[in-house]
Amino acid sequence: KGPGDSLGDIKFSPFEAEKLYVASGDGTLSLQDLEGRAVQVISRALDCGHEHHNVCCWYCSVDVSASCRAVVTGDNVGNVVLLSTSGEEIWKLKLHKKKVTNVEFNSRCEWMFATASVDQTVKIWDLRNIKNKTNFLHLLPHEKPVNAAYFSPTHGAKLLSTDQHNEIRVYSSSDWTKPQHLIPHPHRQFQHLTPIKATWHPRYDLIVVGRYPDPKFPGYTLNELRTVDVFDGNTGEMVCQIYDPNASGIISLNKFNPMGDTLASGMG
């Protein structure tokens, strides 16, 4: 069936609790309703007209800003699209050379947003002043393709990135040009595995990320467990590891509830 089976990203609407913005492999960005009302397609990638599929281009990431009343989405060829929450396109620009894996508004600074890409960069932008791909505020080059880049929800002054191999980075607004912490961590990319993404705790500078033990990783131990690892975002030190023997798979995604007392983990 091709890429249409996948969901790139989902975000709750800040205006209507029962609605979700969904970036899909079928080439659409839609507003879906949990109560079963009609799906509203907000943006659709161009139809490529090929014989066995109709989209070569699809959305991989989405975020929504309540204060700006804006939705931002990125696609698999490097385009970023800014839309109003009702779906009017404000601009569409090629901001990366390859797939945009993550787009995110800074919740503490409404004009700032970040994009992460398979082109081995994270870029921080000023929403008020974007003309082209070189017009960024800060360029954060990485050694490998990047799966995600998230601002800290507590104060927005840190940025957490996860590459596709074995490094998590913490950047700080005191100096965006170089990482404050480089955290070695095994989470290499594998074709049939949902990409592993490190995320923040909503109330403390704590980082959670699933471990994919790698015999080539320094410090690997025999029969190493597929834990969820928790790091201190201020020191880069590991705080603890969580493991459930009944759920022994590789945990790609971890998300806290807004209170921060419950963690949801997802695996293949």
Side-chain angles (χ1 to χ4, degrees):
K1 277 189 174 177
D5 303 327
S6 66
L7 283 182
D9 201 3
I10 55 174
K11 287 282 160 33
F12 276 103
S13 165
F15 310 111
E16 299 165 284
E18 74 284 357
K19 293 198 171 174
L20 283 167
Y21 288 92
V22 179
S24 169
D26 67 3
T28 62
L29 176 70
S30 59
L31 189 57
Q32 304 208 7
D33 191 300
L34 296 174
E35 292 174 356
R37 286 185 283 268
V39 172
Q40 180 188 348
V41 174
I42 290 178
S43 182
R44 189 184 294 276
L46 295 174
D47 194 314
C48 62
H50 286 150
E51 193 177 338
H52 299 296
H53 58 266
N54 60 358
V55 285
C56 285
C57 191
W58 58 90
Y59 297 120
C60 310
S61 46
V62 64
D63 198 22
V64 54
S65 164
S67 54
C68 295
R69 299 194 79 87
V71 180
V72 66
T73 182
D75 72 15
N76 64 314
V77 292
N79 295 305
V80 175
V81 187
L82 186 74
L83 305 139
S84 70
T85 41
S86 53
E88 289 98 32
E89 189 174 299
I90 299 164
W91 49 252
K92 177 180 178 177
L93 296 167
K94 191 166 166 67
L95 299 184
H96 285 276
K97 293 179 186 142
K98 295 179 180 174
K99 173 179 174 177
V100 180
T101 50
N102 193 204
V103 288
E104 191 189 56
F105 292 105
N106 188 321
S107 62
R108 301 288 176 205
C109 177
E110 64 176 23
W111 50 261
M112 183 183 280
F113 79 103
T115 56
S117 172
V118 174
D119 69 8
Q120 304 187 8
T121 66
V122 172
K123 293 177 178 179
I124 298 175
W125 308 89
D126 182 341
L127 205 53
R128 304 164 299 185
N129 180 33
I130 295 185
K131 298 179 187 71
N132 56 49
K133 65 175 181 239
T134 59
N135 197 211
F136 46 77
L137 288 176
H138 303 284
L139 173 67
L140 285 42
H142 286 61
E143 300 291 319
K144 301 279 183 198
V146 186
N147 279 340
Y150 299 119
F151 290 109
S152 53
T154 47
H155 44 64
K158 289 185 191 292
L159 185 80
L160 169 67
S161 71
T162 314
D163 76 356
Q164 289 188 358
H165 193 56
N166 61 15
E167 195 172 68
I168 297 164
R169 296 185 176 192
V170 182
Y171 290 84
S172 169
S173 60
S174 56
D175 182 2
W176 289 120
T177 59
K178 57 181 190 290
Q180 193 176 31
H181 299 294
L182 296 173
I183 303 172
H185 184 266
H187 51 252
R188 64 199 184 281
Q189 199 83 342
F190 172 62
Q191 186 185 353
H192 302 293
L193 180 71
T194 298
I196 291 173
K197 299 176 181 183
T199 54
W200 292 104
H201 187 281
R203 299 194 163 194
Y204 303 103
D205 281 347
L206 291 171
I207 295 161
V208 283
V209 58
R211 173 177 286 257
Y212 180 11
D214 182 358
K216 298 188 183 122
F217 185 75
Y220 173 80
T221 55
L222 197 64
N223 303 321
E224 193 172 300
L225 298 175
R226 294 163 170 180
T227 49
V228 173
D229 299 342
V230 184
F231 291 92
D232 183 326
N234 293 309
T235 64
E237 300 294 314
M238 191 186 288
V239 181
C240 69
Q241 292 181 290
I242 307 165
Y243 180 71
D244 178 358
N246 299 314
S248 57
I250 297 157
I251 293 175
S252 297
L253 301 175
N254 292 281
K255 181 80 175 165
F256 281 99
N257 68 336
M259 288 289 290
D261 59 0
T262 306
L263 176 66
S265 298
M267 68 180 102

